[in-house]
Coordinates of all heavy atoms in Angstrom, one line a residue:
A327 N 23.8 9.9 -0.4 CA 24.4 10.8 0.5 C 25.0 10.0 1.7 O 24.3 9.2 2.3 CB 23.3 11.8 1.1
G328 N 26.2 10.2 2.0 CA 26.9 9.5 3.0 C 27.2 10.3 4.2 O 26.4 11.1 4.6
G329 N 28.4 10.0 4.9 CA 28.7 10.7 6.1 C 29.2 12.2 5.7 O 28.4 13.1 6.0
V330 N 30.3 12.3 5.1 CA 30.8 13.6 4.8 C 31.0 13.7 3.3 O 31.7 14.7 2.8 CB 32.2 14.0 5.5 CG1 32.0 14.0 6.9 CG2 33.2 13.0 5.1
H331 N 30.5 12.8 2.5 CA 30.6 12.8 1.0 C 29.3 12.3 0.4 O 28.5 11.8 1.0 CB 31.8 12.1 0.6 CG 31.7 10.6 0.7 ND1 31.4 9.9 1.8 CD2 31.7 9.6 -0.3 CE1 31.4 8.6 1.5 NE2 31.5 8.4 0.3
S332 N 29.2 12.5 -0.9 CA 28.1 12.0 -1.7 C 28.6 11.4 -3.0 O 29.6 11.8 -3.5 CB 27.1 13.1 -2.0 OG 26.7 13.9 -0.8
C333 N 27.8 10.6 -3.6 CA 28.2 10.0 -4.9 C 26.9 9.7 -5.7 O 25.8 9.6 -5.1 CB 28.9 8.6 -4.6 SG 30.5 8.7 -3.8
G334 N 27.1 9.8 -7.0 CA 26.1 9.5 -7.9 C 26.5 8.8 -9.2 O 27.8 8.9 -9.5
I335 N 25.6 8.3 -10.0 CA 26.0 7.7 -11.2 C 25.4 8.5 -12.3 O 24.2 8.7 -12.4 CB 25.5 6.3 -11.3 CG1 26.1 5.4 -10.2 CG2 25.9 5.6 -12.7 CD1 25.6 4.0 -10.1
R336 N 26.2 9.0 -13.2 CA 25.7 9.8 -14.4 C 25.0 8.8 -15.4 O 25.2 7.6 -15.3 CB 26.9 10.4 -15.1 CG 26.5 11.7 -16.0 CD 27.7 12.4 -16.4 NE 28.7 11.5 -17.2 CZ 29.9 12.0 -17.7 NH1 30.2 13.3 -17.4 NH2 30.6 11.3 -18.4
S337 N 24.2 9.4 -16.2 CA 23.3 8.5 -17.1 C 24.1 7.6 -17.9 O 23.6 6.6 -18.4 CB 22.4 9.4 -17.9 OG 23.1 10.3 -18.7
D338 N 25.4 8.0 -18.2 CA 26.2 7.1 -19.0 C 26.9 5.9 -18.2 O 27.7 5.2 -18.8 CB 27.3 7.9 -19.9 CG 28.2 8.6 -18.9 OD1 28.1 8.5 -17.7 OD2 29.1 9.3 -19.5
G339 N 26.7 5.9 -16.9 CA 27.2 4.9 -16.0 C 28.5 5.3 -15.3 O 28.9 4.5 -14.4
L340 N 29.1 6.4 -15.6 CA 30.3 6.9 -14.9 C 29.9 7.4 -13.6 O 28.8 8.1 -13.5 CB 31.0 7.9 -15.7 CG 31.6 7.4 -17.0 CD1 32.3 8.6 -17.7 CD2 32.6 6.3 -16.8
A341 N 30.7 7.1 -12.5 CA 30.4 7.5 -11.2 C 31.1 8.8 -10.8 O 32.3 9.0 -11.2 CB 30.7 6.4 -10.1
F342 N 30.5 9.6 -10.0 CA 31.0 10.9 -9.6 C 30.9 11.0 -8.1 O 29.7 10.5 -7.6 CB 30.4 12.1 -10.2 CG 30.8 12.3 -11.7 CD1 30.3 11.5 -12.7 CD2 31.7 13.3 -12.0 CE1 30.7 11.6 -14.0 CE2 32.1 13.4 -13.4 CZ 31.6 12.6 -14.4
C343 N 31.8 11.5 -7.4 CA 31.7 11.7 -5.9 C 32.1 13.1 -5.5 O 32.9 13.8 -6.3 CB 32.5 10.7 -5.1 SG 32.0 9.0 -5.3
W344 N 31.7 13.6 -4.4 CA 32.1 15.0 -3.9 C 32.0 15.0 -2.4 O 31.3 14.2 -1.7 CB 31.3 16.0 -4.6 CG 29.8 15.8 -4.4 CD1 29.0 16.4 -3.5 CD2 28.9 15.1 -5.2 NE1 27.7 16.1 -3.6 CE2 27.6 15.2 -4.7 CE3 29.1 14.3 -6.4 CZ2 26.5 14.6 -5.3 CZ3 28.0 13.6 -6.9 CH2 26.7 13.8 -6.5
G345 N 32.8 15.9 -1.8 CA 32.8 16.0 -0.4 C 34.2 15.7 0.3 O 35.2 15.8 -0.4
G346 N 34.1 15.2 1.5 CA 35.3 14.8 2.2 C 36.0 13.7 1.6 O 35.4 12.7 1.0
N347 N 37.4 13.7 1.6 CA 38.1 12.7 1.0 C 39.3 12.2 1.8 O 40.3 11.7 1.3 CB 38.7 13.2 -0.4 CG 39.2 12.1 -1.3 OD1 38.7 11.1 -1.3 ND2 40.2 12.5 -2.1
G348 N 39.1 12.3 3.1 CA 40.2 12.0 4.0 C 40.7 10.6 4.0 O 41.9 10.3 4.4
S349 N 39.9 9.7 3.6 CA 40.3 8.3 3.4 C 40.2 7.8 2.0 O 40.3 6.5 1.7 CB 39.4 7.4 4.3 OG 39.5 7.7 5.7
G350 N 40.1 8.7 1.1 CA 40.0 8.3 -0.3 C 38.7 7.9 -0.8 O 38.5 7.3 -1.8
Q351 N 37.6 8.2 -0.1 CA 36.3 7.8 -0.4 C 35.7 8.3 -1.6 O 34.7 7.9 -2.0 CB 35.3 8.1 0.9 CG 35.1 9.5 1.2 CD 36.0 10.0 2.4 OE1 37.1 9.6 2.4 NE2 35.4 10.7 3.2
L352 N 36.3 9.4 -2.2 CA 35.9 9.9 -3.5 C 36.3 9.0 -4.7 O 35.7 9.2 -5.7 CB 36.3 11.3 -3.7 CG 35.9 12.4 -2.6 CD1 36.2 13.7 -3.1 CD2 34.4 12.3 -2.4
G353 N 37.3 8.2 -4.4 CA 37.7 7.3 -5.5 C 38.3 7.9 -6.7 O 38.4 7.3 -7.7
N354 N 38.8 9.1 -6.6 CA 39.4 9.9 -7.7 C 40.9 9.8 -7.8 O 41.6 10.5 -8.6 CB 38.9 11.3 -7.7 CG 39.5 12.1 -6.4 OD1 39.8 11.5 -5.4 ND2 39.6 13.4 -6.6
N355 N 41.5 8.8 -7.0 CA 42.9 8.5 -7.1 C 43.8 9.8 -6.8 O 44.9 9.9 -7.3 CB 43.3 8.0 -8.5 CG 44.6 7.3 -8.5 OD1 45.1 6.7 -7.5 ND2 45.3 7.2 -9.6
D356 N 43.3 10.6 -5.9 CA 44.0 11.7 -5.4 C 44.8 11.4 -4.2 O 44.3 11.2 -3.0 CB 43.0 12.9 -5.1 CG 43.7 14.2 -4.6 OD1 44.9 14.2 -4.6 OD2 43.0 15.0 -4.0
G357 N 46.1 11.3 -4.3 CA 46.9 10.9 -3.2 C 47.0 11.9 -2.1 O 47.6 11.6 -1.1
T358 N 46.5 13.1 -2.4 CA 46.6 14.1 -1.4 C 45.3 14.1 -0.5 O 45.3 14.8 0.6 CB 46.8 15.6 -2.0 OG1 45.5 15.9 -2.7 CG2 47.9 15.6 -3.0
F359 N 44.4 13.3 -0.8 CA 43.1 13.1 -0.1 C 42.5 14.5 0.2 O 42.0 14.7 1.3 CB 43.4 12.4 1.3 CG 44.1 11.1 1.1 CD1 45.5 10.9 1.2 CD2 43.3 9.9 0.8 CE1 46.0 9.7 1.1 CE2 43.8 8.7 0.6 CZ 45.2 8.6 0.7

Side-chain angles (χ1 to χ4, degrees):
V330 298
H331 74 300
S332 308
C333 294
I335 300 174
R336 201 168 61 181
S337 58
D338 60 2
L340 295 178
F342 287 75
C343 295
W344 54 95
N347 195 35
S349 298
Q351 63 261 43
L352 300 187
N354 63 335
N355 200 26
D356 177 12
T358 66
F359 301 100

